[in-house]
Amino acid sequence: MAESSSQTKCRKRKIMDETHAFSHGSSSLLSEDQLLCSICLDVFTDPVTTPCGHNFCNSCLTQCWDKSQHCLCPLCNQKFTKRPKLKINITLREVADHFKKKRGSEKSEVLCDACSGEKLKALKSCLDCGLSFCKTHLEPHSHVPKLKKHKLVNPVENLEDYICQKHERALELFCRDDQTCVCQFCTEGDHKNHNTVPIEEESRERKTQLVKTQTDVQQMIQDRLKKIKEIHHSVKLRKRRTEKEKADSVEIFTALIRSIERSQADLVEVMEEKQKAAEMQAEGLIKELEQEISVLKRRDTELEQLSHTEEHLHLLQIYSSICSPPHTKNWTEISINTDVSEDTVRTALSQLQQTLNEKLNKTLDDKLKETVSKELKRIQQYAVDVTLDPDTANSYLILSADGKQVRDGDERHNLPDTPQRFKGRPCVLGKQSFLSAKFYYEVQVRGKTEWYIGVSTESINRKEEITLRPQFGFWTVGLSNKNEYRAYAGPSVPLTLREKVEVVGVFVDYEEGLVSFYDVKSRSHIYSFTGQSFTEKLYPFLSPCLNNGGKNSAPLIISPVFKSE
């Protein structure tokens, strides 16, 4: 809802009152620190406000953005995708102007030395007369020939500081040999043959130097603000990775616990099966024993009856058969084992430990492989079409017509030695450059005994023997001596890989400062450079290394990326 005319007047009046109060020294309003531009460190001149709410001098912020590729707030480093249109903050400008006037009025005024009554404000100070004059008393200096030669300066209080104490003449010259101000008579005495220049000239040079120093200081401020941003970014990146690692570890140990529980269940099942088998064995044995008991009872009954019989003939006829023992099993050595020996326990525990270790390793490997596979699937979405730039290739290298393959040719080709071309190590860059983006590409290294792959900056040294380290603009991994893999992090880091790498995947997240390498075939992670700070274009970097008498003749091949489904 639009405010009424009376409301508008009241609001304007309130602003005017607050501004007036500030100009008269109100301590409850803005302080001097709040009116200082963080770029020039002086009170605002035509202040403008950025979208993030910070204030700067219009000229300071404009010059800062003109010198940078990105539009960042110099105070909080917030990045603006489109350069904001700046408008003068009128209210803040009025407050700053009032402060300047207040500060200027507080300076003590230089009064005329010639006024006899009420002394007027001095217009100029005369170094020859050693006095300060108001407009009226300064008049003779404009038409009296002798006075016209006097040295006039803006009013100053301590005139003796501007006059040579030895010759009582104006200090008009600067002796560069002794770094002091001198008068004309001094150049005929103690400072004879010294390098002297007019004070104005030395002052101009000193001011130029001050401007340069101020520029250097401002650059130091920007460098430190940038470093603060990098530190915040590194902490943020580290926190993000820690959270991911925590989540992954929880998932892995959850799977491990499940595996242990399954192993425990399997062991319990085996024990229960053995118990069941023992029970079944016991049941069978008891049945046999009961059957034999029945047979023996019948025999006992028959023997009891025969022992009382009077049929002598019948007794003699069956005596041999009935007195022989019935057919039964020898039960002396037969028993159910109820004890578990120490060896049996040790064997069972050893088998359980071996099973758990195997399951643990398999669980960890499977989980890690699954995690890396998902990560590789995600980053493969950033695949770019890379072709090699022949203008950067070392003169010993041979590139394919399509710019997808490179190998060492053993012989130097007659190529122009352009600034872009590598002269020392057999290297080549991709044609494509990347700034503030994510990208991914793959290189086939099958059949090679030595190679280096990664990314580099545009400003790398291409004419001398290069050192593969991040501080020199290289982020690479490589193979040497057939099976020695290393990440060249400065110092280099030995890498232990389970399989011989055939295809290397290279992923770069420019904003996150991340360069990662993957074994595409085994879907495993090789190495990552983290927390890096990129400030210029990045290029794919390849070195097939020397042919080595045909032992390393296979080319490096930029492969098409088959994105996982």
Side-chain angles (χ1 to χ4, degrees):
M1 183 175 179
E3 62 183 6
S4 64
S5 175
S6 60
Q7 288 175 326
T8 302
K9 289 180 180 179
C10 289
R11 182 170 59 82
K12 289 183 176 179
R13 183 61 189 171
K14 183 178 179 181
I15 293 174
M16 291 294 290
D17 289 342
E18 289 178 349
T19 304
H20 179 74
F22 175 82
S23 67
H24 284 77
S26 175
S27 60
S28 63
L29 299 177
L30 295 176
S31 65
E32 179 178 357
D33 290 343
Q34 293 172 292
L35 294 176
L36 296 181
C37 170
S38 61
I39 298 177
C40 67
L41 304 179
D42 202 352
V43 179
F44 291 124
T45 300
D46 292 334
V48 292
T49 305
T50 60
C52 56
H54 295 116
N55 302 301
F56 306 93
C57 297
N58 186 19
S59 60
C60 293
L61 187 57
T62 301
Q63 292 175 11
C64 181
W65 285 352
D66 287 343
K67 295 177 182 178
S68 176
Q69 294 181 348
H70 306 289
C71 289
L72 302 173
C73 172
L75 200 57
C76 69
N77 284 314
Q78 180 173 334
K79 186 176 180 180
F80 309 117
T81 54
K82 185 178 180 181
R83 183 164 179 167
K85 293 183 179 179
L86 301 175
K87 293 185 178 180
I88 304 298
N89 187 327
I90 298 175
T91 302
L92 185 58
R93 181 177 65 181
E94 291 178 353
V95 173
D97 289 346
H98 272 290
F99 179 82
K100 289 178 181 178
K101 291 179 181 178
K102 175 178 174 292
R103 188 172 62 178
S105 64
E106 289 176 349
K107 294 180 179 179
S108 58
E109 293 183 348
V110 178
L111 302 179
C112 178
D113 293 318
C115 291
S116 56
E118 181 182 355
K119 292 186 178 294
L120 300 179
K121 182 180 178 180
L123 184 63
K124 291 286 183 182
S125 294
C126 178
L127 298 183
D128 293 279
C129 299
L131 299 171
S132 297
F133 300 104
C134 63
K135 183 177 181 182
T136 301
H137 292 108
L138 185 64
E139 182 65 23
H141 282 76
S142 62
H143 60 270
V144 176
K146 185 177 181 180
L147 296 179
K148 287 173 68 176
K149 298 179 180 179
H150 285 191
K151 181 71 173 181
L152 299 176
V153 297
N154 290 328
V156 292
E157 287 187 342
N158 302 319
L159 267 175
E160 61 273 11
D161 293 340
Y162 295 81
I163 298 173
C164 176
Q165 299 301 310
K166 182 176 182 180
H167 302 106
E168 297 184 353
R169 292 290 185 272
L171 297 172
E172 301 178 281
L173 302 173
F174 184 80
C175 176
R176 289 178 171 173
D177 293 340
D178 296 331
Q179 293 292 298
T180 185
C181 296
V182 297
C183 69
Q184 190 65 45
F185 286 178
C186 291
T187 61
E188 299 174 4
D190 297 340
H191 298 272
K192 188 176 182 180
N193 298 325
H194 285 192
N195 180 15
T196 57
V197 294
I199 285 180
E200 292 80 5
E201 179 181 338
E202 183 67 20
S203 178
R204 281 194 301 270
E205 291 190 14
R206 294 290 178 96
K207 286 181 179 179
T208 301
Q209 185 61 37
L210 286 176
V211 171
K212 182 179 180 302
T213 303
Q214 182 185 16
T215 302
D216 293 341
V217 170
Q218 292 174 0
Q219 184 60 49
M220 291 172 67
I221 294 172
Q222 295 303 316
D223 291 343
R224 280 148 183 77
L225 290 173
K226 181 180 177 182
K227 180 56 68 175
I228 290 174
K229 180 183 177 183
E230 290 176 3
I231 293 172
H232 282 308
H233 177 73
S234 298
V235 172
K236 181 179 178 182
L237 180 62
R238 179 59 188 169
K239 183 178 180 180
R240 189 182 306 170
R241 292 189 177 280
T242 300
E243 293 299 326
K244 185 177 183 302
E245 290 171 0
K246 285 166 60 179
D248 290 343
S249 65
V250 169
E251 192 172 354
I252 289 173
F253 279 101
T254 300
L256 176 59
I257 291 172
R258 290 173 182 168
S259 178
I260 293 174
E261 290 174 347
R262 285 195 298 269
S263 298
Q264 183 184 19
D266 292 343
L267 182 60
V268 170
E269 184 179 355
V270 170
M271 295 172 68
E272 289 178 348
E273 288 178 353
K274 288 183 177 181
Q275 174 64 25
K276 186 176 181 180
E279 291 176 355
M280 291 180 66
Q281 180 190 11
E283 185 178 347
L285 294 175
I286 291 171
K287 188 174 182 180
E288 287 185 53
L289 287 167
E290 288 176 345
Q291 289 175 351
E292 290 187 0
I293 289 171
S294 297
V295 172
L296 292 172
K297 282 183 177 181
R298 285 195 300 270
R299 178 64 59 87
D300 180 61
T301 301
E302 292 175 353
L303 291 172
E304 177 66 24
Q305 292 174 353
L306 288 175
S307 66
H308 299 287
T309 185
E310 294 298 330
E311 298 178 4
H312 304 293
L313 180 62
H314 177 67
L315 175 63
L316 293 174
Q317 288 175 342
I318 65 173
Y319 179 81
S320 297
S321 61
I322 201 167
C323 285
S324 62
H327 179 71
T328 58
K329 185 184 293 187
N330 182 6
W331 293 93
T332 306
E333 301 298 330
I334 296 176
S335 65
I336 302 298
N337 186 14
T338 59
D339 296 326
V340 180
S341 68
E342 185 177 345
D343 290 340
T344 304
V345 173
R346 187 181 296 111
T347 301
L349 290 176
S350 178
Q351 291 175 347
L352 177 59
Q353 183 178 4
Q354 182 179 354
T355 302
L356 289 176
N357 287 338
E358 291 174 353
K359 290 188 175 183
L360 172 60
N361 291 333
K362 187 176 185 305
T363 300
L364 292 175
D365 288 346
D366 291 346
K367 196 63 191 174
L368 183 60
K369 188 173 182 179
E370 179 185 353
T371 302
V372 174
S373 184
K374 289 180 180 179
E375 180 71 8
L376 192 56
K377 177 181 177 181
R378 181 186 68 82
I379 65 178
Q380 282 178 331
Q381 306 304 314
Y382 298 99
V384 294
D385 184 19
V386 173
T387 53
L388 302 175
D389 186 356
D391 292 336
T392 66
N394 183 285
S395 57
Y396 282 86
L397 297 183
I398 299 175
L399 272 61
S400 61
D402 61 358
K404 298 292 185 180
Q405 301 186 26
V406 58
R407 62 184 177 86
D408 180 66
D410 274 340
E411 294 182 359
R412 186 177 182 277
H413 300 86
N414 188 17
L415 298 174
D417 185 16
T418 60
Q420 295 80 20
R421 191 177 306 285
F422 284 97
K423 189 174 182 181
R425 191 186 291 262
C427 309
V428 63
L429 298 182
K431 285 184 178 180
Q432 295 74 20
S433 63
F434 302 90
L435 182 66
S436 184
K438 298 176 183 177
F439 65 94
Y440 173 83
Y441 73 98
E442 293 179 355
V443 182
Q444 177 182 309
V445 297
R446 188 183 301 118
K448 295 194 66 62
T449 60
E450 190 174 2
W451 50 262
Y452 304 102
I453 293 172
V455 293
S456 70
T457 59
E458 186 175 23
S459 61
I460 52 174
N461 179 11
R462 309 187 191 199
K463 299 305 177 184
E464 299 176 4
E465 185 62 29
I466 60 178
T467 302
L468 298 177
R469 289 187 179 183
Q471 57 263 47
F472 298 115
F474 297 92
W475 292 265
T476 60
V477 298
L479 169 68
S480 60
N481 300 326
K482 295 184 180 181
N483 56 9
E484 294 180 6
Y485 293 94
R486 291 181 177 274
Y488 295 93
S492 61
V493 179
L495 304 174
T496 302
L497 306 181
R498 295 188 177 181
E499 302 177 16
K500 191 169 181 63
V501 181
E502 294 188 359
V503 180
V504 178
V506 183
F507 173 67
V508 176
D509 188 333
Y510 194 101
E511 296 295 336
E512 294 292 336
L514 172 69
V515 182
S516 292
F517 299 86
Y518 296 87
D519 181 346
V520 178
K521 182 181 178 182
S522 66
R523 315 293 290 177
S524 60
H525 175 255
I526 297 176
Y527 187 81
S528 286
F529 294 88
T530 60
Q532 306 299 303
S533 178
F534 303 126
T535 57
E536 55 180 298
K537 294 178 181 178
L538 296 179
Y539 290 82
F541 170 86
L542 282 76
S543 175
C545 298
L546 300 178
N547 190 303
N548 195 18
K551 296 179 182 179
N552 191 37
S553 60
L556 291 178
I557 303 174
I558 298 176
S559 309
V561 177
F562 298 102
K563 300 177 182 178
S564 305
E565 296 299 331

